[in-house]
Amino acid sequence: MVPLHPVALGLVIIALVVDGRGWDLLPDPLGWLLVLVGTRALPATLRHRGALLASAALALVVSAVVWPPAVAEQVSATDDSVAWALSLPQLAYLALLADAARYAARQAGAPGRAAWFAVAGILAVAAAVLPVLVLGAGVDALAGTAVLAATLALVLLTVLALVTARAPWLGGHPRPLPGLPRDGSDDGSGGPAGGPDRHSRPKTGESS
């Protein structure tokens, strides 16, 4: 399994909402379950791996609690600080994943990819911090910016997870070339897969 494939699929399910008489037909708990499965398959040496598992598990529990329409309505009717607090596990996971992938990319000599993960991490942190200014200091002008930052962080990390899924430094493996065995070795015929062996000669009219 390529670890970032279920992570990306889970993030897509979390980002999308399909309304079915008040119920989200793409339930966030399913998305977080996929994210958790993919996160468990990430390399054991990955930075923040333990914190990633913890935040994904907490986000799974929170999403399961607020998935029923009645609970979601109660949350939206309460103080905005409750909705912000419930969003923190998701934002924590996004920020941790972005930082872990940024560090791994930099160590692997991929500075361009590391820069994009850094941008995603900054957006996730901004989405978590800006509501403090909105709720605590009354800077209402930042409310829309916080929502935008959270959305962009989720979308950007989903795209980055898809395009980086096969990177070995995130537990992926390159897609094998058509006609070649997965390990790139001989297929037992003495030459390249499907080809003549090294001792074969062109056919001539001297065949007996």
Side-chain angles (χ1 to χ4, degrees), residues 1 3 8 29 49 76 122 163 169 181 201:
M1 179 182 70
R49 187 174 182 274
S76 62
I122 292 171
V163 300
W169 35 273
R201 292 179 296 177

Side-chain angles (χ1 to χ4, degrees), residues 51 53 80 86 127 156 160-161 199 208:
L53 288 170
D80 289 341
L86 292 175
L156 181 55
L160 289 173
H199 302 297
S208 58

Side-chain angles (χ1 to χ4, degrees), residues 101-122:
R102 176 199 61 79
Y103 182 80
R106 190 178 64 182
Q107 294 295 105
R113 195 57 52 84
W116 279 110
F117 277 114
V119 171
I122 292 171

Side-chain angles (χ1 to χ4, degrees), residues 107-138:
Q107 294 295 105
R113 195 57 52 84
W116 279 110
F117 277 114
V119 171
I122 292 171
L123 289 170
V125 172
V129 172
L130 288 178
V132 176
L133 299 177
V134 176
L135 299 171

Side-chain angles (χ1 to χ4, degrees), residues 143-159:
T145 304
V147 174
L148 180 61
T151 303
L152 289 177
L154 181 57
V155 172
L156 181 55
L157 267 176
T158 302
V159 173

